[in-house]
């Protein structure tokens, strides 16, 4: 081996070593910086349920005494949770931002509660979902919009909903049970149970009828659930099967 090759080999080995150290260190930081009921750190929520975890790094979080998190919630990295228009306000005796059990907030999502915001149990949000109870007003054409007093209106997201990536839920929105919000949709007003909404502004594009089922009908077959008792090893074996034996 030439001297140049030997130096290159040592350099590559050092880079691999540094890379492993950095990745291992970052995993340790993520684990140490995560927030849970057992390790709340500086955050003092009104309630944080068993099994709930806020990934590190967290986004902006303030007004924690008026934020209630249910059990087994998953809150991704850089998620913003705020109660009140600014830190340090007294918002009264009751929480104004409530997450039910099993709520998932994807990476980079924002939940802004200047007045009551409720997200029902087992609602899943993709990355970068924006839920807010506040909107800028522009009544006075002589005053910059950002300096005019905003309008607030409570927001309610029912249980079992799915909010796609980049969905925006505006003040006053009231979503029923098991509502699907398409990626990028902008939702205002009331959405009935078992509806699919899409667009900006969002409109109902599919709904469920007790007698006729989904209207318009679904274009894909229902997924086949995994049989009870299936082990992880069996699932791995299935994944390795060649779907085209020819």
């Amino acid at each position: 081996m030439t001297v140049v090759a030997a130096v290159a080999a040592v350099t590559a080995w050092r880079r691999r070593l540094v890379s492993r150290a950095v990745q291992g260190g970052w995993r340790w930081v993520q684990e140490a910086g995560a927030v849970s009921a057992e390790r709340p750190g500086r955050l003092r929520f009104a309630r944080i349920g068993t099994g709930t975890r806020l990934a590190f790094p967290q986004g902006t979080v303030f007004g924690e005494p008026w934020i209630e998190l249910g059990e087994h919630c998953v809150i991704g990295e850089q998620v913003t949770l705020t109660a009140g228009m600014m830190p340090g306000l007294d918002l009264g005796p009751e929480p104004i931002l409530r997450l039910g059990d099993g709520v998932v907030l994807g990476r980079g999502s924002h939940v802004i509660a200047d007045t009551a915001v409720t997200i029902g149990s087992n609602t899943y949000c993709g990355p970068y979902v924006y839920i807010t109870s506040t909107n800028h007003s522009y009544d006075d054409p002589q005053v910059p919009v950002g300096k005019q007093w905003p309008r607030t209106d409570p927001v309610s997201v029912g249980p079992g909903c799915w909010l796609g990536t980049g969905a925006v839920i505006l003040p006053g929105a009231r979503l029923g049970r098991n509502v699907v919000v398409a990626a990028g949709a902008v939702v205002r007003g009331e959405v009935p149970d078992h509806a699919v909404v899409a667009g900006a502004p969002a409109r109902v594009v599919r709904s469920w009828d007790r007698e006729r089922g989904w209207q318009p009908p679904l274009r894909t077959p229902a997924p086949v659930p995994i049989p009870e008792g299936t082990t992880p090893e069996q699932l791995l074996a299935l994944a390795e099967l060649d779907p085209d034996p020819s």
Side-chain angles (χ1 to χ4, degrees), residues 65-88:
W66 294 274
I67 300 176
E68 186 177 274
L69 308 176
E71 298 184 358
H72 303 290
C73 295
V74 178
I75 299 174
E77 297 178 13
Q78 298 291 355
V79 168
T80 289
L81 296 171
T82 64
M85 290 188 180
M86 61 188 70

Side-chain angles (χ1 to χ4, degrees), residues 11-59:
T11 300
W13 175 81
R14 287 178 177 172
R15 287 176 177 171
R16 288 195 297 271
L17 188 63
V18 170
S19 177
R20 290 175 182 173
V22 170
Q23 292 173 11
W26 179 243
R27 284 193 294 270
W28 182 89
V29 168
Q30 287 180 305
E31 181 62 29
V35 169
S36 64
E38 296 75 24
R39 295 186 301 175
R42 63 176 180 82
L43 301 177
R44 295 293 182 267
F45 293 102
R47 175 175 177 259
I48 179 168
T50 302
T52 288
R53 179 183 173 96
L54 286 75
F56 181 86
Q58 292 90 37

